[in-house]
């Protein structure tokens, strides 16, 4: 299934860009490398479209820290390793009551033991590297 958060739940202005969600049917190291290369091509397409549509007037790059009202907010974005989600729960005070971050490396790491079965030790480094792990993301 083609599952790219920028397509199924667009944020920022991704709905204004023409790009493909990149997937392959195979799950081996080579196909994950192919996906990375194809994603780079899709990113270049997005950058070219954005550059062609830069507005003539100035762009406000200022940053204001908004007052967070009480309630819950869920944000999902597409990252290089997969979908990242942030859940923020606020009681309306100066600090958030709860922040929960889900990162793809944490989910992808569980697949490594399965991928290692039946392979040689020499393949282990490449297999682990093929999920593009962020080891600091595993420390959650």
């Amino acid at each position: 299934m083609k599952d790219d958060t920028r397509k199924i739940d667009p944020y920022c202005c991704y709905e204004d860009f023409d790009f493909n969600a990149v997937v392959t049917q195979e799950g081996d190291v080579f196909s994950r490398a192919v996906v990375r290369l194809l994603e780079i091509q899709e990113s270049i397409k997005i950058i070219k479209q954005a550059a062609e549509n830069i507005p003539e007037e100035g762009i406000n790059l200022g940053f204001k820290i908004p007052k967070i009202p009480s309630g819950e907010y869920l944000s999902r974005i597409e990252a290089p390793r997969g979908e990242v989600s942030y859940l923020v729960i606020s009681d309306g005070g100066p600090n958030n009551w709860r922040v929960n971050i889900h990162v793809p490396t944490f989910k992808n790491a569980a697949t490594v033991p399965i991928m290692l079965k039946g392979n040689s030790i020499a393949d282990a480094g490449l297999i682990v590297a093929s999920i593009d792990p962020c080891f600091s993301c595993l420390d959650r």
Side-chain angles (χ1 to χ4, degrees):
M1 177 171 90
K2 291 191 176 197
D3 192 7
D4 187 318
T5 305
R6 299 170 299 176
K7 286 280 193 187
I8 61 173
D9 189 14
Y11 54 93
C12 293
C13 57
Y14 278 108
E15 65 274 3
D16 298 335
F17 296 106
D18 178 33
F19 65 97
N20 298 312
V22 179
V23 296
T24 60
Q25 295 302 313
E26 301 79 20
D28 60 354
V29 172
F30 179 76
S31 64
R32 285 191 290 279
V34 167
V35 165
R36 290 277 185 248
L37 293 172
L38 294 174
E39 284 176 339
I40 290 169
Q41 286 181 328
E42 293 303 314
S43 295
I44 291 169
K45 278 174 50 178
I46 292 170
I47 291 167
K48 284 181 177 178
Q49 292 172 61
E52 291 169 0
N53 293 300
I54 293 177
E56 296 284 330
E57 64 276 357
I59 300 172
N60 180 8
L61 299 176
F63 184 78
K64 286 184 166 182
I65 299 175
K67 180 179 179 331
I68 306 297
S70 64
E72 292 185 19
Y73 181 73
L74 174 68
S75 176
R76 301 175 349 166
I77 61 168
E78 191 69 28
R81 295 170 183 92
E83 182 180 296
V84 177
S85 65
Y86 297 86
L87 173 66
V88 178
I89 302 174
S90 172
D91 60 5
N95 299 313
N96 293 313
W97 182 74
R98 179 182 176 109
V99 175
N100 194 338
I101 303 169
H102 287 269
V103 294
T105 297
F106 189 77
K107 298 170 192 168
N108 294 343
T111 65
V112 171
I114 296 163
M115 290 188 284
L116 291 173
K117 283 187 180 172
N119 288 293
S120 69
I121 294 199
D123 291 334
L126 193 55
I127 290 170
V128 171
S130 74
I131 67 164
D132 191 20
C134 170
F135 292 108
S136 63
C137 292
L138 292 174
D139 189 27
R140 297 206 180 263

